[in-house]
Every structure is written in C-alpha cells, then in structure tokens.
Amino acid sequence: MVTMAVQIARGPDGMPLRTKLARVERRRKLRAFTLVLPLLLFILIGFVLPIGRMMFNAVHDDTLLTLMPRTTAALSAWDGADLPDESAYAALAEDLKQAWAQRATGAIAKRINYELPGLGSQVTSSARKASTLSAGPYKPALIEINPLWGRQDVWSLLKRGSSAYTAYYLLRSVDYQYGPNSEIVASPPENAIFWDMFLRTLGISIGVTAATLLLGFPVAYLLATLPAKYSNLLMIMVVLPFWTSLLVRTVAWVVLLQQHGVLNEMLLGLHIISQPAQLIFNRIGTVIAMTHIQLPFTLLPIYSVMKTISRTHVRAARSLGAGPFYAFWKVYFPQTLPGIAAGSLLTFILCLGYYITPAMVGGPNDQMVGSFIAHYTNEELNWGMASALGAILLTATLVLYYVFNKLVGVDRIKMG
Amino acid sequence: MRHSINLTRLKQADAHDLDRAREKLQSVKKQHGDLAVGGAATAGAAQGPGRGLMSGTNSAFVKFSEVQKTYDGDTLVVKNLNLDIARGEFLTMLGPSGSGKTTTLMMLAGFEVPTNGSILLEARSIDAMPPHKRDIGMVFQSYALFPHMTVEENLAFPLKVRKLGRAEIEPRVKRALERVRLGGYGKRRPAQLSGGQQQRVALARALVFDPKLVLMDEPLGALDKQLREQMQLEIKHIHEDLGVTIVYVTHDQSEALTMSDRIAVFDDGIIQQLAPPAELYERPQNAFVAQFIGENNQLHGKVVAMNGTTCKVEIAGAGNVQALAINVDAVGRPTVLSLRPERVQLNPTPGTLPNVFSAEVAEVIYLGDHVRTRVSVCGHNDFVIKLPNSEGLVRLEPGAAITVGWKTEDCRALDAN
Ligand SMILES: Nc1ncnc2c1ncn2[C@@H]1O[C@H](COP(=O)(O)OP(=O)(O)O)[C@@H](O)[C@H]1O
Ligand SMILES: [Mg+2]
C-alpha cells in the first residue's frame, strides 16, 4: 500500500508531486507578496515605524543622560538618603558650564520643569552663574547660587536621569508622579486631570455610540426593507454627510446651535423656551455634532447585514405563531447583531480619537484625549506626554478590541 | 408556440421523470387504494370540488371564494379564484412560474391581503386574522430556518410562542426530530446541516405545533433530483400518518403527480383544471393542461361535425379525425387535438382504428425502456410516438413510410388558444 502511494504521488517526469505543488505554491505566494509590497512598505514607513517610535518616546527620554553626563554618572553611586557629596556637585558644575557654553540649558530646564514646575527658569539662571565658578568646593557655592541645588527632589530627578528610560510620562497620564525620594505618589489635584479626561473620552464615545445606534437602527431597517425606489433616495440622504468636509459640518452645527442660532430662535419663536438654551460649547453640542458625523459609520454596517436577512425568516416566525414584535425581537434582531457590533465598534473607536469637533463645539470640559495629544504635540512640544497619552489610547483601543473579540467574535462581524 | 413538442434532450428527460412519477403513483395507489385518488379517478364526469373527501362545499376546510389579487392595481395576478380544500387533503398548486401560486398561498397564510373576495378556514372568514393567529404551518423553499438558533431551538420556537412548559416542549421537539429522522442533530446549527437535512428540519418545525393546515411553497426546489424524490415520498408518508391538510406549491409536474390527492393547475392567475393526478393526465380539460402535464401531441384542425360526445375534426390537407369533444362547442370552430405519444399505434391493422394516417419516420431515439420516434404526419413533423421496448418492437429507420393510428377515446378535441 505504502509503495503504491509513493508511486502514485509522482508526476510523469518522475518529480514527486509534493515538490511540484510546493514549487507552484511558492511562485503563487511570491506573486501575491509582490502585489502587496508597495502598500506594505508604505504602511511600514508611514505608519508602523512612527507608531513604534511614538510608543518608544512614551518611556524613553535621555535629555539628562546626554546633556548632564557627568552628574548622572556621579549619581549612580548615590544612595539618595542625603544630599550627594562634593564630587557630584563638581560634576554638576562642570555639566552646567558645558551646557551654558553649548546653549543646552534650555532643554535641561524644560525637562526639569516638567516634573518640578517653576524650577525651569532657576535652572537656566543658575547655569549662567555656575559658568563663572572656577574652583571648588562646589557644593556650598552651587547652593549659594541657588537653593534649588540643595533640594532632595531635584537630586532625585537628576539621578532618575541616569537612565534613558522613564515611567514619568505614563505615570502622569494616569495622574501619578514621582515624589521627592523617587517614590510614586498621586499627582496633586491641579495636575490630576488625565484620569477624568480618559473617563470623559470614554463617556462621550459611549454616549455617541448609543445615540447613533438609537437613531441609526430604525433608519437602517427602513433602508433594508423599503422598495428600491425610496431606499435609494434615503440612502443618498444618509451618505450625504460623507461627501461634506468634517470641518464644514462641524461649523454648520455652530450656526444651528449657537445662542442666537437657528434652533434657539425656533424654540423661542414657538415659545417652548423663554431663554436661549446653551446648546453649544458644552457637552450637548459635542455629542450632537459627533453623533451626526458618526451616524453613517454605525448605520451602514447594520444596513448591510440587514440586507442579507431574508424576509422569509420573519414570515416563518409569524406563521409559527409569533406576533410581529416577538418575531422581530427573537428572529430579526438577533440576526442584526453582527452589524450592530461592527457599527458600534467602528463608531466607538473613531470617537475615542475625536479632536477637531470637541475643540470647535465643545467647552473646556469637553476636550477628549485627542485634544490633549494635540496640545502636547503642537503647543508644549512635550513629546513624552503626547506619546504617553497616545500609547495609552492605542493600548486601550486594542484591549477593547480584544475584549470585544472575546465577547462577540470579530469573525462574526460584517463590515459591509 | 405552445402546440409543438420540444424535441430537445431536456424534454426527453422530463418525459422520463414523468414516467417514473406515474409508476410511483401507481404503487402509491395500490398501497392506499381507498384514497380519494383512486375513487375520484373513476368518477370521470365529476369536475371541481365536491367529490370524494368532501361531502359539500359548506364543509370545506379551506375555501377561496371569488378571490382576486393585484399588486399594482392594473393586472390581476390571481383572477376570481374559487377553490375548496377538504380536511386532510393533499392539494397541490401546479403551474408555470408567475402563475400566481405563491400569491395564493401567501393570501392563505395571511402575508398578502386579497384585493377582492374572501378566504374561509373552517367556514370562518380569516381575512382579518393576522398570520400568527391562523395556526398554519409553513415550509419555504429557502427553508427559513433561524440561523442563530440550534435545530432544537428552531423546533421549540412555535411551542415557546404558545407558552408551553419545558416538560412539554422537549418531548415534542424530540418526537418531531425523530419523525424526520434527524434524532441526533438537535444541537446543531442549521448551517451545519446539508440542504436535505435543513429541509427536513423546516418540515419538522412546520409540523411540531400540530397545525391544522400546512403550506409548502416549492419546498424541494433547491434539492437535487434524487433527494427530491426521496423527500416527496417522505412528505407523502408524513401526510398520511398525521392526516394533516397540506397545500403544496410546485412547478414540477412529476412532483405534483407523485404526491397529491388533487392538483390545481394554475396558469395566468386562473385554475385551469382541478383534478386528481390520474384524471389530470388522462383527461385534460384544455390545451394548456394537456400540454403542461406530460408529453402531448397536438394537431390543429377545425370542427366539421359534432356528434354528442365525439366530433369530427378536419386537419387541413390530411383528412378527418374522430375525437372526443371535450372543449369544443360548435361546428366550424378551430380546435387542438391532444394525443398522448404512448397511445399512438404503429402500423395498426387496417380497419381496427377510426383514425389512421400515413406517416414518415423523421427521427428515432433509443431510450432503453422505450423508443421515441418522431414522425411527419398530417403536415406536422413534430409528432411523437413512444414505443415500449418489448418483444416485437419494429426497428424503424428514418425515412421509412409507416402508418399511425389511434382510438377516438385517446384523442381529445380541446380549445384552440
Ligand atoms: N410582492 C409582489 N409585488 C408585486 N408583484 C408581485 C409580488 N409578488 C408576486 N408578484 C407578481 O405576481 C405574479 C405572480 O407571482 P407568484 O404568485 O409569485 O407566482 P408563482 O409563485 O406561481 O411563480 C408575478 O407576475 C409576479 O411578478
Ligand atoms: Mg412562487
């Protein structure tokens, strides 16, 4: 039997069929790979590398290590219990002199200012003064120049700088920071804004997702069941927002919802309200505008799933004795779940990253994580914080996706 | 061009099917000789409802009364339908696609509203009754099994809707599954079953709540031929075992002949003929039915004499034919003569038959159990004779001159539309 099988598994030219198959397969794979190569390179260079870089920036910061090499080296032996000894001060004086000469004090000052707000300018001024020091002992001299150099928390910070990696940015992003002795402590209230911000981001995203579901599901149902004549028209109305710029739509909401906007004037005119309602630059405006923008993203996957549900299913349920609502709820609705899951997931994940809309129609307390990332990137040039917030957002999204996948199963989802 | 017999292989296959269906029919009739089929078949004069199972129209289980239906307000899809269905009957609606069968069924199920007329179930009008109150089981061609439920859940659905307890649901589901020989498949999802198994689940689901009436709309249409034939018999047996009333829709004539007590042949929204299978085949009432059921030779002619139940028909350039006057009313009218290929005799002994014509063999096709011979006769060159492959079969060659003949009773003069 075995020999026969082996004999059969050879082509006419005596080459084993398995080898031939492998060769053909390899050629096929190679061709497929060549086809996707440009996109692969594009994604790698334009997407994967920057994101990797960003994730890296969230924990990597070698400012102090490179700009204050002597001090950080001298501190590696420091136990942190008391102020360091003269040799560390000598190294510090040397580093400050060099930084002053190389005009690098700004970067050092900025880095120190992140963790110890208000000290940045003092670092710069003391560096200017330290550059005139010519001989030791440096310890009293530096403390004399600025009491800053006699502070435990400053030295702890410099010692942490001896590692190129820091958890500072990530800790800040969840409202923790380092105390005077490098212990992890909760951020003081004026700094503890991020946890709220994440919760707000989550809350707005959930709210918008729920709103798009409530508004979108009935429309999707109508679209899927109406005769083509009407459903085409309705479909155009649904996807129309897709063809308008996001900015234009957001501004349109400003026009509609502002104090003396169309909606307020109408409600006043109908005597439904006596005072103009505050509909914009707050949470209401943010949710309304985002819901409008996200509606098609939720609706279309649901619609495409509904389109595949045979009408005979509900008919069968009716003939089996189910009333119209029961048939809908037990037979039709469960079959739309993959679409609902896909639509909500899409909208929810997109919402997490919203930035322009909350910035334009939201108040200061409606800014989401995207706004903060933009703020740190564009205004403060604090790449560490921007990266840390971005990394947390990305991780949270992936975790959510994972959980969702476990609960619902992404393979059951239909994206249209 | 309804009159011509199509000589493609396809049609031959059809004819073959039909033969088999007839054989099956005979055997079913033998087993269940007391069924209405046999009884009604002998009552040749009877037409329409009111025979066999039914004692009178008043007791009809289902009654369509003057039912009309239009979707667009212009064309009637169902025209003036009057139909009585008896309790326990297996009635098939047979007709070409678009003839209004599904529409009729949907009106009965409650998914379409008659534009006119009314439908009675057990002598009560159900026009205002929503589908879920009608207690009518339904089997769809697409099975319509709920994909998100297991087979068991599918079967339990109608029972849950009826608020039965678990203790009652479980054994009934189990019994229903066993009835369709799917005992071990309860935990599966419909997608994990083959087409035939899915169809059986759909059947079980339509029966599990003991409906008075079960409707089936081309339920076997998606199955392959062998499975279809097996399922036909299975449905037939279930019908006999349960005594449930079944209204069955199909466009497959052999299926209709195999299964039905009576067949309503639909065309163009009208019931062309309502009769038991054998009667439908042997005594078609009009040219459409003759053509639609089985294979059929048609000869076009003009009535020249009426003589009670028979008439004389002149075929232009060929002579006169004696035929049964079925659907002709007056001398001088055009008519179509309908003649089954197996009733044509080859080279009959002169003087034994009233209708004998000379013919020329055009084509001979050997089909194993019989030989199909196409001949030119009376100016028609698509006239088919079926000769059983029995002892004494004459081997014919194309071009051979022969005579063909038939009895008056085998030749029916029908409407010429
Ligand atoms: N929902 C509908 N709307 C409009 N026309 C329909 C509808 N259903 C069926 N028809 C039309 O009615 C006619 C009969 O259809 P149907 O009852 O499905 O025939 P069958 O089942 O015999 O094939 C067809 O011409 C079909 O186009
Ligand atoms: Mg149909």
Side-chain angles (χ1 to χ4, degrees), chain A residues 148-302:
Chain A
L148 152 83
W149 303 117
R151 280 171 60 168
Q152 182 81 13
D153 49 358
V154 172
W155 283 103
S156 294
L157 170 56
L158 290 177
K159 181 174 164 62
R160 288 201 297 276
S162 61
S163 164
Y165 296 92
T166 175
Y168 168 69
Y169 298 113
L170 287 173
L171 285 174
R172 266 305 294 280
S173 301
V174 290
D175 291 345
Y176 284 95
Q177 60 189 49
Y178 288 112
N181 295 310
S182 288
E183 75 279 21
I184 293 169
V185 296
S187 296
E190 70 270 17
N191 281 350
I193 52 170
F194 295 103
W195 192 238
D196 276 353
M197 182 268 304
F198 277 118
L199 284 182
R200 185 190 314 143
T201 305
L202 207 68
I204 292 179
S205 301
I206 291 173
V208 170
T209 306
T212 55
L213 262 184
L214 281 179
L215 295 175
F217 189 90
V219 178
Y221 180 74
L222 207 61
L223 268 173
T225 48
L226 231 47
K229 195 166 47 160
Y230 306 105
S231 68
N232 285 344
L233 191 71
L234 194 59
M235 183 56 110
I236 288 176
M237 284 158 66
V238 166
V239 296
L240 205 59
F242 264 149
W243 304 333
T244 323
S245 123
L246 183 118
L247 215 58
V248 171
R249 271 180 289 159
T250 307
V251 173
W253 278 112
V254 176
V255 174
L256 289 173
L257 298 178
Q258 61 189 316
Q259 193 99 62
H260 296 286
V262 180
L263 191 62
N264 262 324
E265 293 297 323
M266 215 167 68
L267 292 176
L268 284 173
L270 293 171
H271 299 291
I272 293 171
I273 52 173
S274 54
Q275 292 266 311
Q278 182 65 41
L279 297 172
I280 199 147
F281 308 127
N282 60 9
R283 192 63 56 87
I284 300 174
T286 312
V287 171
I288 289 180
M290 284 176 68
T291 301
H292 175 237
I293 293 162
Q294 282 304 124
L295 197 58
F297 291 94
T298 309
L299 187 151
L300 291 176
I302 298 179

Side-chain angles (χ1 to χ4, degrees), chain A residues 311, chain B residues 71 77 96-104 112 218:
Chain A
R311 196 169 59 143
Chain B
Y71 286 105
V77 170
S97 172
S99 56
K101 311 178 298 286
T102 298
T103 303
T104 307
E112 297 289 352
E218 312 212 11

Side-chain angles (χ1 to χ4, degrees), chain A residues 90-107:
Chain A
L92 173 65
E94 205 54 36
D95 280 338
L96 286 177
K97 272 188 223 169
Q98 187 189 332
W100 182 253
Q102 294 175 350
R103 299 177 191 283
T105 46

Side-chain angles (χ1 to χ4, degrees), chain B residues 227-263:
Chain B
L227 209 51
R228 203 161 63 221
E229 286 173 359
Q230 182 191 336
M231 284 296 293
Q232 285 167 9
L233 290 181
E234 242 170 80
I235 293 175
K236 186 78 200 144
H237 292 150
I238 285 175
H239 170 244
E240 283 153 12
D241 293 346
L242 299 181
V244 61
T245 311
I246 293 182
V247 179
Y248 192 97
V249 163
T250 182
H251 63 258
D252 179 341
Q253 45 155 322
S254 73
E255 192 165 297
L257 293 175
T258 308
M259 304 172 77
S260 321
D261 294 336
R262 283 192 305 159
I263 298 172

